[in-house]
């Protein structure tokens, strides 16, 4: 499985991925009442690629601009993780909001993000918690990705993806696109069962969450 990422130029590190801290120790400073999830099950969005089972990971693409505390990624079970799947992640708020071009959702020291396979922050949720909510606790984001900024800086932006993105924004924010189910998964075996089950039938995921099996 060769990495399919289209690297931003220049790549910040010598490889296409970096290992982040994984949130170790940070949770106590926020008074978290439980350990971070080992996975999330997200459903209910009309953005089909958003729905699915996300597994906690320690490696994230190096060109993403965020400082990660927790990261979860979705990719097909039984296939290599090429680091290009959708992600849900808890990240630090930007140190310099003016330089970053945005302020964190909720105005806290961290925020939850749902990041698409192109590296765009698609949805945001207030941070300082290991359990994000669902539905309208999330909001649409219209931030430039690292790739967008790089393309604009070097004048190499391609019209097709940019036009598609702006067209989607022009239609307005659709609440049906929000993640209406965000379910905390605290057991690694359950994450694997759900990922395996998702590859076949969606009802096996629901059955497993209700205490059944995915076999």
């Amino acid at each position: 499985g060769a990495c399919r990422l289209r690297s931003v130029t220049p790549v910040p590190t010598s490889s296409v991925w970096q290992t982040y801290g994984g949130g170790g120790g940070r949770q106590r400073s926020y008074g978290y009442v439980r350990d971070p999830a080992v996975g999330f099950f997200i459903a209910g969005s009309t953005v089909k690629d958003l729905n699915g089972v996300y597994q906690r990971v320690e490696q994230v693409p190096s060109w993403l601009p965020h400082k990660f505390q927790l990261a979860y990624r979705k990719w097909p079970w039984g296939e290599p993780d090429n680091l290009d799947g959708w992600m849900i992640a808890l990240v630090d708020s930007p140190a310099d909001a003016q330089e970053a071009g945005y302020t964190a959702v909720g105005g806290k020291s961290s925020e939850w993000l749902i990041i698409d396979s192109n590296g765009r922050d698609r949805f945001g949720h207030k941070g300082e918690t290991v359990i994000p909510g669902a539905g309208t606790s999330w909001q649409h984001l219209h931030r430039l990705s690292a790739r967008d900024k790089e393309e604009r800086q070097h004048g190499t932006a391609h019209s097709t993806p940019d036009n598609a993105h702006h067209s989607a924004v022009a239609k307005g924010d659709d609440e049906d696109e929000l993640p209406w189910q965000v379910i905390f998964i605290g057991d690694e075996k359950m994450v694997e069962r759900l990922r395996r089950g998702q590859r076949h039938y969606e009802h096996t995921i629901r059955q497993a969450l209700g205490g059944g099996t995915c076999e």
Side-chain angles (χ1 to χ4, degrees), residues 184-198:
F184 178 106
I185 306 172
D187 180 72
E188 291 184 7
K189 291 182 179 179
M190 178 64 77
V191 172
E192 285 302 308
R193 288 167 63 192
L194 295 179
R195 292 187 66 222
R196 186 171 66 247
Q198 184 185 30

Side-chain angles (χ1 to χ4, degrees), residues 5-6 13 23 25 29 32 45 54 76 87 96 102 123 126 140 153 155 171 178 184 189 192-193 211 215:
L5 289 175
R6 299 186 301 275
T13 66
S29 66
Y32 293 161
S45 172
Y54 291 72
M87 295 178 62
D96 187 332
Y102 68 90
F123 303 94
K126 66 181 180 181
H140 286 76
Q153 180 179 349
K171 294 178 181 177
L178 298 174
F184 178 106
K189 291 182 179 179
E192 285 302 308
R193 288 167 63 192
E215 301 299 325

Side-chain angles (χ1 to χ4, degrees), residues 105-121:
V105 174
K108 296 182 178 293
S109 63
S110 62
E111 63 177 349
W112 278 96
L113 297 174
I114 293 177
I115 304 170
D116 69 17
S117 57
N118 292 314
R120 285 197 177 101
D121 301 345

